[in-house]
Amino acid sequence: MLDNLNQDVSILQPSLQMTDSQVQNRIRQMKMEDPDEQTCYQKFCNLFTIEYYREYFDVTTELVIAKVVNAFNPFSGTFFDIGGGIPELYGPFWILNTLIFTIALSVNIIKYMQLKPGEHFEYQFEIVPFLAIFMYLKTLIVPMIYRVALKCVSQDRLTLLHCFTIYGYSAVVMIPISLLNSIPNPAIQWMLLVYVLFAQTSFLTSNFNQELKYLPKEKKYMIVGLVAVVQITIMILYKFYFFSSFNYQQLGLVKKRTNTHILQHILGAN
Amino acid sequence: MDYTNQKNPQNYSQMEDLKTLDLEESVSETIMRDLKMIAYKLKYVLIPKEQEDNGKELRNWDLWGPLIFCLALAMTLSFKADSTTNSSKSDVFAIIFVLIWVGAFVVTLNAQLLGGKVSFFQSVCLLGYCVFPINIEAIIIAFIGSYLPFVVKLIPVIICFAWSAYSSVGFMASLVPPHKKKLAVYPVFLFYLFLSWFSLIV
């Protein structure tokens, strides 16, 4: 088809006839847009354009809201039926950022409530970068674990991006719970945490179950068990790192900025 | 070029024409002219009645205004942070600075990924100019906040947050197709909420 380009055009009118260089330019342009003809280098460079990622943000407001509402329901198992089960990254990313904000907010509220009267309120901001890094790593690594596990039981319908999507949306339960966690009663805090654990795990397993219905029982339980164990680990980390009633300095998590001490330590070690 | 309006330019394009006279004027004149440009754009962005041409003025984006407001906010908030609290002055300054620029970058990237066809820096410029109400609120709270109860402090915070969000939402919502408007607006809302909460706490 590309070879006949000049002949086809010249049939129409003499004024539309392209010169040789114009034909070559047009052929090169068409080759660049044709994915099969692209070189390996060009395909790699596509990774850095915005258009490459646009297909993962192809959502409407109603779709996102429907998915969020579905994520609050731990038993429905219909998450992948909404919107045709197309994986997307908008929801997970912004739910993650909202979650970081609400956890930082509630950690500060907890600290404020623990103030004795007359004490000056010391806000806690060092927690924010640590929290952000922890959340981003968690959201990157855990879906990969799920995808590897699904691959082990040779389930190929759910790709890595599907795992990212469902894991991101499962975190939405944590948002109101972390706000409620600022209530000072420890019994309520533990109950809320158990509820989150239960809700997230059953949401994930009931959705994976739809895809895993046709597998033998042992493999199903393996996947369910893996999901539960990962969630329990993360909940324990939440409780003892972020929502504990300890003084954060005692935990050794944050130290006061003591540049001079670090310098003396370095100089002293030499 | 309209020479009759040389000393008092009526709009931004006439200000542009004056740039040819740059080399002959004193430093204070140059700085005052730049400050007037920033003030003009600020009024344009923050006072909705001034926008008669649906945001076309924003095509002349500049990053000086956002930089000035970002530095002012970071300095105001770090002024209150002293060594008795957990965060030192430089921590707070760094967090605010990075937060504003990276936040504006991420919000603009989000709008572009959702299908918006706006130039990247136009949107960063707008988000930077809309940080100005948060600046006002931070200054109010920094200087007279310690004498006020918490509930009274909330009032200017909420007003300024609503003002920032309202000014930038109109522009951001016009970038994306209609069924994605709320998706593009929500990150802007979260960005200004985080900044307002920050200035309230400090």
Side-chain angles (χ1 to χ4, degrees):
Chain A
M1 182 200 77
L2 294 173
D3 299 323
N4 294 335
L5 193 59
N6 212 5
Q7 292 167 353
D8 290 341
V9 169
S10 61
I11 291 172
L12 296 169
Q13 271 184 26
S15 58
L16 287 182
Q17 198 163 14
M18 294 196 272
T19 62
D20 273 338
S21 60
Q22 281 176 331
V23 169
Q24 290 303 319
N25 273 341
R26 183 75 187 121
I27 289 174
R28 195 170 40 224
Q29 193 183 356
M30 287 167 83
K31 265 194 182 164
M32 279 206 320
E33 291 163 10
D34 181 8
D36 296 329
E37 291 273 345
Q38 279 175 341
T39 63
C40 192
Y41 175 73
Q42 277 167 335
K43 280 188 205 161
F44 180 69
C45 281
N46 277 342
L47 206 65
F48 295 113
T49 62
I50 288 188
E51 281 72 27
Y52 182 77
Y53 295 103
R54 248 187 212 172
E55 61 175 299
Y56 303 125
F57 278 76
D58 191 18
V59 282
T60 64
T61 314
E62 289 90 22
L63 199 66
V64 171
I65 293 180
K67 284 189 178 178
V68 166
V69 169
N70 191 307
F72 275 110
N73 178 358
F75 298 116
S76 65
T78 52
F79 183 78
F80 287 118
D81 299 332
I82 301 177
I86 300 171
E88 48 124 354
L89 292 177
Y90 175 89
F93 183 66
W94 287 109
I95 288 174
L96 189 65
N97 286 334
T98 313
L99 189 60
I100 291 175
F101 172 63
T102 48
I103 292 186
L105 183 65
S106 75
V107 160
N108 273 301
I109 292 179
I110 290 177
K111 223 166 175 256
Y112 185 73
M113 300 239 183
Q114 285 176 341
L115 275 186
K116 303 176 186 45
E119 230 180 68
H120 177 60
F121 172 58
E122 293 180 5
Y123 51 89
Q124 188 88 30
F125 283 141
E126 279 83 25
I127 205 108
V128 171
F130 179 78
L131 180 66
I133 291 174
F134 173 71
M135 291 287 176
Y136 283 125
L137 277 182
K138 171 189 86 153
T139 316
L140 279 178
I141 294 179
V142 174
M144 288 187 194
I145 297 178
Y146 291 158
R147 175 66 185 138
V148 165
L150 286 171
K151 188 88 179 160
C152 286
V153 297
S154 57
Q155 155 64 266
D156 273 332
R157 243 205 66 190
L158 290 179
T159 63
L160 182 62
L161 280 158
H162 281 115
C163 292
F164 275 126
T165 312
I166 192 168
Y167 191 71
Y169 276 101
S170 75
V172 82
V173 183
M174 192 77 199
I175 295 176
I177 300 293
S178 59
L179 284 176
L180 287 175
N181 222 333
S182 47
I183 299 172
N185 190 343
I188 293 185
Q189 287 182 348
W190 275 110
M191 263 175 18
L192 287 171
L193 222 59
V194 166
Y195 171 71
V196 166
L197 176 66
F198 163 72
Q200 258 191 302
T201 314
S202 68
F203 171 72
L204 285 166
T205 50
S206 60
N207 279 303
F208 282 148
N209 204 29
Q210 294 292 335
E211 313 296 323
L212 300 178
K213 267 196 290 223
Y214 309 108
L215 290 178
K217 268 204 155 97
E218 304 85 36
K219 296 192 177 174
K220 248 199 292 192
Y221 286 147
M222 194 182 82
I223 300 280
V224 169
L226 179 71
V227 168
V229 162
V230 170
Q231 288 302 120
I232 288 176
T233 320
I234 291 178
M235 290 304 149
I236 291 178
L237 277 172
Y238 276 153
K239 178 60 186 165
F240 288 111
Y241 243 17
F242 300 121
F243 290 119
S244 72
S245 324
F246 303 132
N247 186 351
Y248 288 95
Q249 283 184 322
Q250 286 174 0
L251 276 182
L253 173 60
V254 285
K255 297 181 173 43
K256 277 203 172 159
R257 277 290 284 264
T258 49
N259 286 328
T260 50
H261 292 184
I262 294 174
L263 205 54
Q264 281 171 2
H265 181 76
I266 294 172
L267 291 176
N270 284 343
Chain B
M1 267 206 300
D2 189 355
Y3 286 102
T4 55
N5 279 330
Q6 205 166 9
K7 287 296 175 192
N8 298 313
Q10 299 295 323
N11 61 30
Y12 189 71
S13 56
Q14 286 177 343
M15 281 195 220
E16 286 273 3
D17 297 334
L18 289 176
K19 277 189 181 164
T20 50
L21 302 174
D22 266 359
L23 291 174
E24 297 158 356
E25 55 183 17
S26 63
V27 174
S28 61
E29 258 185 63
T30 314
I31 292 183
M32 281 315 296
R33 196 183 65 234
D34 282 335
L35 286 178
K36 280 195 193 115
M37 250 160 32
I38 292 179
Y40 173 80
K41 249 212 214 101
L42 193 66
K43 266 198 306 206
Y44 181 82
V45 161
L46 287 180
I47 302 178
K49 284 198 279 272
E50 304 256 333
Q51 288 183 10
E52 278 143 33
D53 50 1
N54 292 333
K56 288 204 181 57
E57 188 64 38
L58 277 165
R59 287 201 203 132
N60 302 316
W61 56 265
D62 75 299
L63 290 179
W64 278 114
L67 181 69
I68 290 179
F69 299 137
C70 166
L71 285 178
L73 183 65
M75 284 197 293
T76 317
L77 292 179
S78 71
F79 177 72
K80 287 285 284 183
D82 46 22
S83 45
T84 59
T85 66
N86 279 329
S87 316
S88 66
K89 289 181 197 286
S90 50
D91 275 345
V92 174
F93 187 92
I95 289 180
I96 297 273
F97 195 83
V98 166
L99 193 66
I100 290 186
W101 290 107
V102 171
F105 172 76
V106 167
V107 170
T108 309
L109 197 65
N110 178 65
Q112 281 196 333
L113 281 168
L114 283 174
K117 286 182 182 20
V118 75
S119 129
F120 182 80
F121 283 110
Q122 246 183 305
S123 167
V124 170
C125 164
L126 172 90
L127 288 170
Y129 271 101
C130 288
V131 168
F132 181 69
I134 309 220
N135 233 333
I136 297 180
E137 157 212 339
I139 292 177
I140 294 177
I141 291 185
F143 289 121
I144 58 177
S146 32
Y147 309 118
L148 301 173
F150 184 73
V151 184
V152 176
K153 268 197 282 193
L154 268 184
I155 299 175
V157 169
I158 292 181
I159 294 177
C160 291
F161 162 65
W163 188 11
S164 302
Y166 179 69
S167 318
S168 50
V169 153
F171 180 72
M172 293 307 267
S174 63
L175 296 180
V176 291
H179 47 271
K180 298 185 188 182
K181 275 199 199 311
K182 293 210 184 77
L183 298 182
V185 159
Y186 173 71
V188 177
F189 171 80
L190 195 64
F191 175 60
Y192 288 124
L193 189 65
F194 200 83
L195 280 178
S196 313
W197 170 67
F198 221 96
S199 61
L200 174 68
I201 296 268
V202 170

